[in-house]
Amino acid sequence: MAHNCLQCIKYLMFVFNLLFWLGGCGILGVGIWLAVTQGNFATLSSSFPSLSAANLLIVTGTFVMIIGFVGCIGAIKENKCLLLSFFIMLLIIFLLELTVVILFFVYTDKIDKYAQRDLKKGLHLYGTDGNIGLTNAWSIIQTDFRCCGVSNYTDWFEVYNTTRVPDSCCLEFSENCGLHSPGTWWKAPCYETVKIWLQENLLAVGIFGLCTVLVQILGLTFAMTMYCQVVKADTYCA
């Protein structure tokens, strides 16, 4: 009976980690595709230029693949060391995520101020050599969210040292439309506009976060249950 239970958990954990590994492959693939085709797409921070969508996806995909691989091999080989390693790695990631979420809610105001200050600093890199990712990201955000600047369209005045904004700020796009009067530009601040959009889609973000937590808890449960079963089986055989 114990042997049948171990076999059942073994194959369940193998399938779970195989899907986990395939998910990591998908995330890594998208990250590499973004890096190759779009450069440093969605790089908005001047303090952390490597914090781009492509790099985040590549790092996340790599970690997920490694953890999934360790879990797969540990399950199929019934290896206590690999099972325990899988459990510890997943637990560390879970605790880090929990810590980040708690710190985010505790220091929301400070994070808000720092983010706005850093984004305004990043505006000065717009359109400069080697910053195509930041330039593309700002152009897409201002066009899609119909906003201009971080806290106000006047943020761009400091960048250009004149009354001018990027063409992506224009109500109707045309060449050099950013040189026209402010009446032809979007007035909404991008930082607040994106925050409102996130708040409106909080349910989707919450569901994604909950699913992530459930998957991790399921992985931890599978790993520890199988580890205990393997230990019991070894003790019984001895």
Side-chain angles (χ1 to χ4, degrees):
M1 181 67 180
H3 178 72
N4 291 336
C5 182
L6 178 60
Q7 290 301 306
C8 180
I9 295 171
K10 171 182 174 178
Y11 291 114
L12 278 173
M13 185 171 174
F14 176 78
V15 171
F16 172 83
N17 281 288
L18 181 62
L19 294 173
F20 204 64
W21 182 80
L22 289 172
C25 289
I27 294 170
L28 179 63
V30 172
I32 292 172
W33 175 78
L34 272 179
V36 172
T37 61
Q38 305 293 327
N40 291 322
F41 177 75
T43 304
L44 294 174
S45 174
S46 59
S47 300
F48 305 98
S50 297
L51 197 64
S52 65
N55 289 343
L56 285 174
L57 288 172
I58 289 170
V59 171
T60 302
T62 302
F63 270 109
V64 171
M65 281 180 66
I66 292 170
I67 293 171
F69 179 76
V70 171
C72 278
I73 302 300
I76 208 70
K77 294 288 186 181
E78 298 179 16
N79 187 292
K80 290 184 291 185
C81 182
L82 289 176
L83 287 170
L84 194 58
S85 297
F86 172 81
F87 179 85
I88 291 170
M89 284 191 291
L90 203 56
L91 181 62
I92 289 171
I93 290 172
F94 179 77
L95 292 175
L96 283 173
E97 290 172 349
L98 189 62
T99 303
V100 168
V101 170
I102 291 171
L103 288 174
F104 176 79
F105 282 109
V106 171
Y107 297 104
T108 300
D109 291 338
K110 289 184 178 180
I111 292 171
D112 258 356
K113 290 176 183 177
Y114 174 81
Q116 289 188 61
R117 187 167 62 249
D118 190 54
L119 288 170
K120 286 180 181 179
K121 185 180 175 184
L123 292 181
H124 291 271
L125 300 176
Y126 184 89
T128 58
D129 293 336
N131 290 292
I132 185 67
L134 183 143
T135 302
N136 288 342
W138 270 113
S139 295
I140 290 168
I141 287 171
Q142 292 184 144
T143 302
D144 290 354
F145 285 93
R146 300 182 176 184
C147 59
C148 191
V150 179
S151 56
N152 198 295
Y153 65 88
T154 56
D155 293 336
W156 290 108
F157 295 177
E158 296 178 20
V159 177
Y160 291 110
N161 290 319
T162 185
T163 307
R164 181 186 178 181
V165 297
D167 293 344
S168 56
C169 279
C170 298
L171 298 173
E172 293 185 12
F173 180 84
S174 63
E175 194 70 29
N176 294 321
C177 61
L179 291 169
H180 299 165
S181 65
T184 63
W185 307 331
W186 299 114
K187 298 297 190 298
C190 288
Y191 190 81
E192 287 302 319
T193 303
V194 173
K195 270 185 70 175
I196 291 168
W197 179 82
L198 285 171
Q199 288 167 1
E200 289 174 349
N201 292 274
L202 203 59
L203 180 61
V205 175
I207 290 172
F208 175 78
L210 183 62
C211 289
T212 303
V213 169
L214 289 174
V215 166
Q216 290 175 337
I217 291 173
L218 194 61
L220 290 168
T221 304
F222 273 139
M224 186 48 65
T225 303
M226 188 170 179
Y227 175 80
C228 293
Q229 289 294 329
V230 171
V231 170
K232 282 182 182 178
D234 288 349
T235 306
Y236 179 76
C237 291

